[in-house]
Amino acid sequence: MTDPKKSQQDLVVVKNLVKYFPVRAGLLQRVVAWVQAVDNVSFTIRQGETLGLVGESGCGKTTIGRTILRLIEPTSGQIIFNGVDVATLRGKELKAMRRDMQIIFQDPYASLDPRVPIGESVMEGLNVHGVGTRQERFEIMMDTLKKVGLEDYHARRYPHEFSGGQRQRIGIARALALRPKFIVCDEPVSALDVSIQSQVLNILKDLQQEFGLTYLFIAHNMSVVEHISDRVAVMYLGKIVELASREDLYRDPLHPYTRALMSAIPIPDPTVKRERIILKGDVPSPLNPPKGCRFHPRCPVAVDRCSQEEPPLKEVHPDHLAACWLLK
Amino acid sequence: MSANREKLLRVEDLVLHFRTTVGTVQAVDGINFDLDYNRAVVILGESGCGKSSLAKAILRLLPRNVGAYSGKVYLGGSDVMALSDEEFRQNVRWVGISMVPQAAMNSLNPVIRVGDQVAEPAMIHMGVKKEEAMKLARQMFEHVGVPEDFLVRYPFELSGGMRQRAAIAMALVTAPNLIILDEPTSALDLLTQANIFNVLKRIKKELGTSFILITHDIATSSELADEVAVMYAGQIVETGEAKDFFPAPLHPYAQMLMASVPRLRADQDPEFITGQPPSLINLPPSCRFAPRCPKRRDRCEQDPPIIEKDGRKVKCWLYA
């Protein structure tokens, strides 16, 4: 999937990634079914870019993020980070690689230890990886706190003393302390009030500039993703249905699902009237996804073929991929 | 007193304070607003500004640590604050005003069929027989777009969006004139949110119900709102018609709040409000937004009055 026109290097290459979770039942806890969380997904993340990953709850976007970090083992498929296959790493090599990839979690209230001063929390990764002397680690921690807009005296305080936005900045500082190359941002602003969301987004953007970071930005809010991403992948039921540059995707969404998502984005102005695409029903269960195109039962323009064969993700325009039989 | 000239709801100087070990939390601190029949008002504000407490104060759903609770709430012209708790329960709650609480879709009883739960308020508050109540529940399911055969299902068999619709059906079954919705779509996906708001719009048109919509989701709320009230630190700082408010809010807080909403295909990045809302304990005598306000002047040391401007009300010295 590498494009020869791009001089930028791929930092993360995901090839045919599959993750099924077993469903167990009965006395013997036999596997009775599989949740097809991620099903044959391929994409790349280029050095220094932000790839936005959007989709509704349960579409597998968090699973992808965690599988890349190997917090979850993939069922099959390859994840190549910085030229190395992540799945083959063991022990010291795996630990060394993890220094380069970090994660920012969704809920800043649940992801910090309430009984540890936040300075200690930020230093934890440095201690685990044995970076420098204690004094050096302390200095890195203080410096990192400043980078996210916190003050020296904050280091001794406990999580409950901070507001939601500040806690999320602490979460960013934790991820940043090891100076990673790549950060998975899993819904980093969706738990925050809208009045402080863009402050956190700005910090992420500034840090990306300063440290040359690469982000996988997982979110369900299309407007937020537009503000931060260079390219955007749209997921539906474990599949990527569309992948394009931000400009192309938002100007000219190709897949019917992307179009429905776009039309559902509320505009805070009651004087604006527009047509909405209302989809039938709910997202089907990933336990038993529909045959053919997974979106066909809800698709307003589905044809016979859609219920029979699964459409591949193919290049419709240069660098604009979509998985739909109706697109030539 | 001409009853037909009365507004559906009038709230005057409503106060609800909570006692805590660290001081008095002034969650609702002198709220005034009114709402007419078949209208929807959205109450906007950040977390912790007291908007959910306002709903509780109107419906008298109070925890044990209530400090001050005073003011007037007129429903169809009669003062419901003067009623005893039992009178309030019989005549106001559910039959006059019902509520869809926050995360309502997770508040259904998991071991009772959805239809029976939706019918229950009708049996208790309207005194109808089970059969009649189930008929009403069936009608309400139709209004909110839940298939009829879901009446006999259990909550776990329904998706989040369907359970939220069932919760709305429950609030509708007693045919109240007013429904208070506390964050009705914040746990739902984008497409489901759009569907729920279409349901609410249809109910408003078909049944003439009024809504108080409490939310921090500014963009989504603009779909339904006829009027807007912006809350900050326990007080309403601006009220007005939605069509006037959304394009051009008056209060500096409302302006900054609107500017922080990320918009699709926008030319500018969204902004943010520096600092954080004040604690509702020991509030200063100044304008409560002054510490974060870019337009702050000396005068803001005093609490600003509510100023009327072109039929809109704003609590800010800028318009004095």
PDB file of all heavy atoms in Angstrom, chain A residues 19-26 29-37 75 285-289:
ATOM      1  N   LYS A  19      -8.700  -9.329  14.474  1.00  0.00           N
ATOM      2  CA  LYS A  19      -8.802  -9.614  15.904  1.00  0.00           C
ATOM      3  C   LYS A  19     -10.212 -10.103  16.205  1.00  0.00           C
ATOM      4  O   LYS A  19     -11.179  -9.364  16.066  1.00  0.00           O
ATOM      5  CB  LYS A  19      -8.490  -8.367  16.740  1.00  0.00           C
ATOM      6  CG  LYS A  19      -8.622  -8.592  18.231  1.00  0.00           C
ATOM      7  CD  LYS A  19      -7.619  -9.614  18.761  1.00  0.00           C
ATOM      8  CE  LYS A  19      -8.024 -10.164  20.110  1.00  0.00           C
ATOM      9  NZ  LYS A  19      -7.071 -11.186  20.597  1.00  0.00           N
ATOM     10  N   TYR A  20     -10.316 -11.362  16.568  1.00  0.00           N
ATOM     11  CA  TYR A  20     -11.586 -11.931  17.006  1.00  0.00           C
ATOM     12  C   TYR A  20     -11.487 -12.181  18.502  1.00  0.00           C
ATOM     13  O   TYR A  20     -10.490 -12.711  18.983  1.00  0.00           O
ATOM     14  CB  TYR A  20     -11.863 -13.267  16.314  1.00  0.00           C
ATOM     15  CG  TYR A  20     -12.194 -13.182  14.840  1.00  0.00           C
ATOM     16  CD1 TYR A  20     -12.455 -14.342  14.114  1.00  0.00           C
ATOM     17  CD2 TYR A  20     -12.268 -11.964  14.176  1.00  0.00           C
ATOM     18  CE1 TYR A  20     -12.765 -14.294  12.764  1.00  0.00           C
ATOM     19  CE2 TYR A  20     -12.574 -11.908  12.818  1.00  0.00           C
ATOM     20  CZ  TYR A  20     -12.807 -13.070  12.114  1.00  0.00           C
ATOM     21  OH  TYR A  20     -13.110 -13.020  10.790  1.00  0.00           O
ATOM     22  N   PHE A  21     -12.525 -11.805  19.229  1.00  0.00           N
ATOM     23  CA  PHE A  21     -12.571 -12.118  20.658  1.00  0.00           C
ATOM     24  C   PHE A  21     -13.493 -13.318  20.863  1.00  0.00           C
ATOM     25  O   PHE A  21     -14.606 -13.316  20.351  1.00  0.00           O
ATOM     26  CB  PHE A  21     -13.109 -10.931  21.462  1.00  0.00           C
ATOM     27  CG  PHE A  21     -12.189  -9.752  21.496  1.00  0.00           C
ATOM     28  CD1 PHE A  21     -12.415  -8.651  20.689  1.00  0.00           C
ATOM     29  CD2 PHE A  21     -11.098  -9.735  22.346  1.00  0.00           C
ATOM     30  CE1 PHE A  21     -11.571  -7.558  20.722  1.00  0.00           C
ATOM     31  CE2 PHE A  21     -10.250  -8.639  22.386  1.00  0.00           C
ATOM     32  CZ  PHE A  21     -10.489  -7.549  21.575  1.00  0.00           C
ATOM     33  N   PRO A  22     -13.051 -14.306  21.629  1.00  0.00           N
ATOM     34  CA  PRO A  22     -13.923 -15.458  21.847  1.00  0.00           C
ATOM     35  C   PRO A  22     -15.059 -15.135  22.819  1.00  0.00           C
ATOM     36  O   PRO A  22     -14.876 -14.338  23.753  1.00  0.00           O
ATOM     37  CB  PRO A  22     -12.978 -16.508  22.452  1.00  0.00           C
ATOM     38  CG  PRO A  22     -11.890 -15.725  23.081  1.00  0.00           C
ATOM     39  CD  PRO A  22     -11.740 -14.442  22.300  1.00  0.00           C
ATOM     40  N   VAL A  23     -16.222 -15.699  22.583  1.00  0.00           N
ATOM     41  CA  VAL A  23     -17.336 -15.607  23.524  1.00  0.00           C
ATOM     42  C   VAL A  23     -17.469 -16.981  24.151  1.00  0.00           C
ATOM     43  O   VAL A  23     -17.661 -17.966  23.446  1.00  0.00           O
ATOM     44  CB  VAL A  23     -18.646 -15.229  22.798  1.00  0.00           C
ATOM     45  CG1 VAL A  23     -19.797 -15.159  23.790  1.00  0.00           C
ATOM     46  CG2 VAL A  23     -18.484 -13.913  22.061  1.00  0.00           C
ATOM     47  N   ARG A  24     -17.324 -17.054  25.465  1.00  0.00           N
ATOM     48  CA  ARG A  24     -17.370 -18.355  26.132  1.00  0.00           C
ATOM     49  C   ARG A  24     -18.663 -18.487  26.913  1.00  0.00           C
ATOM     50  O   ARG A  24     -19.190 -17.505  27.432  1.00  0.00           O
ATOM     51  CB  ARG A  24     -16.179 -18.503  27.081  1.00  0.00           C
ATOM     52  CG  ARG A  24     -14.857 -18.556  26.348  1.00  0.00           C
ATOM     53  CD  ARG A  24     -13.700 -18.529  27.323  1.00  0.00           C
ATOM     54  NE  ARG A  24     -12.461 -18.263  26.607  1.00  0.00           N
ATOM     55  CZ  ARG A  24     -11.737 -19.206  26.026  1.00  0.00           C
ATOM     56  NH1 ARG A  24     -12.107 -20.467  26.070  1.00  0.00           N
ATOM     57  NH2 ARG A  24     -10.629 -18.880  25.377  1.00  0.00           N
ATOM     58  N   ALA A  25     -19.145 -19.711  27.007  1.00  0.00           N
ATOM     59  CA  ALA A  25     -20.371 -19.950  27.762  1.00  0.00           C
ATOM     60  C   ALA A  25     -20.364 -21.360  28.305  1.00  0.00           C
ATOM     61  O   ALA A  25     -19.590 -22.207  27.868  1.00  0.00           O
ATOM     62  CB  ALA A  25     -21.589 -19.732  26.859  1.00  0.00           C
ATOM     63  N   GLY A  26     -21.244 -21.606  29.257  1.00  0.00           N
ATOM     64  CA  GLY A  26     -21.423 -22.944  29.800  1.00  0.00           C
ATOM     65  C   GLY A  26     -20.418 -23.293  30.874  1.00  0.00           C
ATOM     66  O   GLY A  26     -19.500 -22.526  31.177  1.00  0.00           O
ATOM     67  N   GLN A  29     -16.878 -23.405  29.836  1.00  0.00           N
ATOM     68  CA  GLN A  29     -16.416 -22.161  29.201  1.00  0.00           C
ATOM     69  C   GLN A  29     -15.910 -22.418  27.789  1.00  0.00           C
ATOM     70  O   GLN A  29     -14.826 -21.990  27.394  1.00  0.00           O
ATOM     71  CB  GLN A  29     -15.344 -21.481  30.060  1.00  0.00           C
ATOM     72  CG  GLN A  29     -15.894 -20.935  31.359  1.00  0.00           C
ATOM     73  CD  GLN A  29     -16.831 -19.760  31.145  1.00  0.00           C
ATOM     74  OE1 GLN A  29     -16.440 -18.688  30.719  1.00  0.00           O
ATOM     75  NE2 GLN A  29     -18.122 -19.958  31.406  1.00  0.00           N
ATOM     76  N   ARG A  30     -16.693 -23.190  27.053  1.00  0.00           N
ATOM     77  CA  ARG A  30     -16.344 -23.427  25.651  1.00  0.00           C
ATOM     78  C   ARG A  30     -16.577 -22.180  24.825  1.00  0.00           C
ATOM     79  O   ARG A  30     -17.468 -21.388  25.141  1.00  0.00           O
ATOM     80  CB  ARG A  30     -17.231 -24.541  25.100  1.00  0.00           C
ATOM     81  CG  ARG A  30     -16.604 -25.910  25.226  1.00  0.00           C
ATOM     82  CD  ARG A  30     -17.398 -26.844  24.349  1.00  0.00           C
ATOM     83  NE  ARG A  30     -18.180 -27.739  25.183  1.00  0.00           N
ATOM     84  CZ  ARG A  30     -17.759 -28.975  25.519  1.00  0.00           C
ATOM     85  NH1 ARG A  30     -16.633 -29.429  25.108  1.00  0.00           N
ATOM     86  NH2 ARG A  30     -18.510 -29.735  26.277  1.00  0.00           N
ATOM     87  N   VAL A  31     -15.802 -22.035  23.783  1.00  0.00           N
ATOM     88  CA  VAL A  31     -15.999 -20.903  22.874  1.00  0.00           C
ATOM     89  C   VAL A  31     -17.239 -21.182  22.020  1.00  0.00           C
ATOM     90  O   VAL A  31     -17.290 -22.168  21.288  1.00  0.00           O
ATOM     91  CB  VAL A  31     -14.763 -20.709  21.979  1.00  0.00           C
ATOM     92  CG1 VAL A  31     -15.016 -19.607  20.967  1.00  0.00           C
ATOM     93  CG2 VAL A  31     -13.558 -20.374  22.829  1.00  0.00           C
ATOM     94  N   VAL A  32     -18.249 -20.334  22.177  1.00  0.00           N
ATOM     95  CA  VAL A  32     -19.488 -20.563  21.432  1.00  0.00           C
ATOM     96  C   VAL A  32     -19.613 -19.630  20.234  1.00  0.00           C
ATOM     97  O   VAL A  32     -20.401 -19.870  19.333  1.00  0.00           O
ATOM     98  CB  VAL A  32     -20.731 -20.400  22.334  1.00  0.00           C
ATOM     99  CG1 VAL A  32     -20.781 -21.516  23.351  1.00  0.00           C
ATOM    100  CG2 VAL A  32     -20.747 -19.046  23.004  1.00  0.00           C
ATOM    101  N   ALA A  33     -18.851 -18.540  20.239  1.00  0.00           N
ATOM    102  CA  ALA A  33     -18.944 -17.598  19.117  1.00  0.00           C
ATOM    103  C   ALA A  33     -17.712 -16.710  19.141  1.00  0.00           C
ATOM    104  O   ALA A  33     -16.930 -16.728  20.090  1.00  0.00           O
ATOM    105  CB  ALA A  33     -20.202 -16.758  19.245  1.00  0.00           C
ATOM    106  N   TRP A  34     -17.544 -15.951  18.076  1.00  0.00           N
ATOM    107  CA  TRP A  34     -16.432 -15.012  18.001  1.00  0.00           C
ATOM    108  C   TRP A  34     -16.964 -13.619  17.701  1.00  0.00           C
ATOM    109  O   TRP A  34     -17.796 -13.447  16.818  1.00  0.00           O
ATOM    110  CB  TRP A  34     -15.468 -15.412  16.878  1.00  0.00           C
ATOM    111  CG  TRP A  34     -14.785 -16.714  17.145  1.00  0.00           C
ATOM    112  CD1 TRP A  34     -15.205 -17.951  16.751  1.00  0.00           C
ATOM    113  CD2 TRP A  34     -13.576 -16.907  17.883  1.00  0.00           C
ATOM    114  NE1 TRP A  34     -14.326 -18.911  17.194  1.00  0.00           N
ATOM    115  CE2 TRP A  34     -13.316 -18.307  17.882  1.00  0.00           C
ATOM    116  CE3 TRP A  34     -12.686 -16.050  18.532  1.00  0.00           C
ATOM    117  CZ2 TRP A  34     -12.199 -18.856  18.515  1.00  0.00           C
ATOM    118  CZ3 TRP A  34     -11.583 -16.597  19.159  1.00  0.00           C
ATOM    119  CH2 TRP A  34     -11.350 -17.993  19.149  1.00  0.00           C
ATOM    120  N   VAL A  35     -16.470 -12.625  18.463  1.00  0.00           N
ATOM    121  CA  VAL A  35     -16.781 -11.240  18.134  1.00  0.00           C
ATOM    122  C   VAL A  35     -15.729 -10.775  17.129  1.00  0.00           C
ATOM    123  O   VAL A  35     -14.538 -10.747  17.441  1.00  0.00           O
ATOM    124  CB  VAL A  35     -16.729 -10.336  19.388  1.00  0.00           C
ATOM    125  CG1 VAL A  35     -16.926  -8.875  18.995  1.00  0.00           C
ATOM    126  CG2 VAL A  35     -17.780 -10.755  20.385  1.00  0.00           C
ATOM    127  N   GLN A  36     -16.180 -10.438  15.954  1.00  0.00           N
ATOM    128  CA  GLN A  36     -15.238 -10.044  14.913  1.00  0.00           C
ATOM    129  C   GLN A  36     -14.955  -8.546  15.024  1.00  0.00           C
ATOM    130  O   GLN A  36     -15.510  -7.740  14.300  1.00  0.00           O
ATOM    131  CB  GLN A  36     -15.800 -10.390  13.533  1.00  0.00           C
ATOM    132  CG  GLN A  36     -16.184 -11.853  13.453  1.00  0.00           C
ATOM    133  CD  GLN A  36     -16.690 -12.261  12.078  1.00  0.00           C
ATOM    134  OE1 GLN A  36     -16.573 -11.510  11.121  1.00  0.00           O
ATOM    135  NE2 GLN A  36     -17.250 -13.439  11.995  1.00  0.00           N
ATOM    136  N   ALA A  37     -14.116  -8.199  15.999  1.00  0.00           N
ATOM    137  CA  ALA A  37     -13.897  -6.782  16.316  1.00  0.00           C
ATOM    138  C   ALA A  37     -13.176  -6.065  15.180  1.00  0.00           C
ATOM    139  O   ALA A  37     -13.534  -4.954  14.809  1.00  0.00           O
ATOM    140  CB  ALA A  37     -13.111  -6.648  17.604  1.00  0.00           C
ATOM    141  N   THR A  75      -5.254 -11.671  16.250  1.00  0.00           N
ATOM    142  CA  THR A  75      -5.580 -13.045  15.859  1.00  0.00           C
ATOM    143  C   THR A  75      -4.717 -13.440  14.662  1.00  0.00           C
ATOM    144  O   THR A  75      -4.156 -14.519  14.615  1.00  0.00           O
ATOM    145  CB  THR A  75      -7.076 -13.145  15.502  1.00  0.00           C
ATOM    146  OG1 THR A  75      -7.829 -12.668  16.607  1.00  0.00           O
ATOM    147  CG2 THR A  75      -7.481 -14.575  15.179  1.00  0.00           C
ATOM    148  N   SER A 285     -24.699  -6.539  15.289  1.00  0.00           N
ATOM    149  CA  SER A 285     -23.723  -7.062  16.237  1.00  0.00           C
ATOM    150  C   SER A 285     -22.508  -7.607  15.501  1.00  0.00           C
ATOM    151  O   SER A 285     -22.644  -8.319  14.512  1.00  0.00           O
ATOM    152  CB  SER A 285     -24.381  -8.178  17.056  1.00  0.00           C
ATOM    153  OG  SER A 285     -23.383  -8.982  17.612  1.00  0.00           O
ATOM    154  N   PRO A 286     -21.310  -7.329  16.002  1.00  0.00           N
ATOM    155  CA  PRO A 286     -20.105  -7.882  15.383  1.00  0.00           C
ATOM    156  C   PRO A 286     -19.975  -9.390  15.637  1.00  0.00           C
ATOM    157  O   PRO A 286     -19.059 -10.030  15.150  1.00  0.00           O
ATOM    158  CB  PRO A 286     -18.957  -7.109  16.038  1.00  0.00           C
ATOM    159  CG  PRO A 286     -19.516  -6.546  17.284  1.00  0.00           C
ATOM    160  CD  PRO A 286     -20.987  -6.410  17.097  1.00  0.00           C
ATOM    161  N   LEU A 287     -20.901  -9.955  16.431  1.00  0.00           N
ATOM    162  CA  LEU A 287     -20.923 -11.406  16.645  1.00  0.00           C
ATOM    163  C   LEU A 287     -21.300 -12.113  15.358  1.00  0.00           C
ATOM    164  O   LEU A 287     -20.843 -13.202  15.080  1.00  0.00           O
ATOM    165  CB  LEU A 287     -21.996 -11.748  17.688  1.00  0.00           C
ATOM    166  CG  LEU A 287     -21.564 -11.937  19.116  1.00  0.00           C
ATOM    167  CD1 LEU A 287     -22.783 -12.218  19.968  1.00  0.00           C
ATOM    168  CD2 LEU A 287     -20.571 -13.060  19.224  1.00  0.00           C
ATOM    169  N   ASN A 288     -22.184 -11.492  14.621  1.00  0.00           N
ATOM    170  CA  ASN A 288     -22.719 -12.130  13.449  1.00  0.00           C
ATOM    171  C   ASN A 288     -22.927 -11.067  12.378  1.00  0.00           C
ATOM    172  O   ASN A 288     -24.055 -10.711  12.057  1.00  0.00           O
ATOM    173  CB  ASN A 288     -24.045 -12.806  13.822  1.00  0.00           C
ATOM    174  CG  ASN A 288     -24.513 -13.730  12.733  1.00  0.00           C
ATOM    175  OD1 ASN A 288     -23.773 -14.008  11.784  1.00  0.00           O
ATOM    176  ND2 ASN A 288     -25.742 -14.186  12.845  1.00  0.00           N
ATOM    177  N   PRO A 289     -21.835 -10.522  11.849  1.00  0.00           N
ATOM    178  CA  PRO A 289     -21.986  -9.408  10.915  1.00  0.00           C
ATOM    179  C   PRO A 289     -22.658  -9.848   9.609  1.00  0.00           C
ATOM    180  O   PRO A 289     -22.564 -11.024   9.237  1.00  0.00           O
ATOM    181  CB  PRO A 289     -20.548  -8.958  10.664  1.00  0.00           C
ATOM    182  CG  PRO A 289     -19.695 -10.095  11.050  1.00  0.00           C
ATOM    183  CD  PRO A 289     -20.434 -10.889  12.056  1.00  0.00           C
TER     184      PRO A 289
END
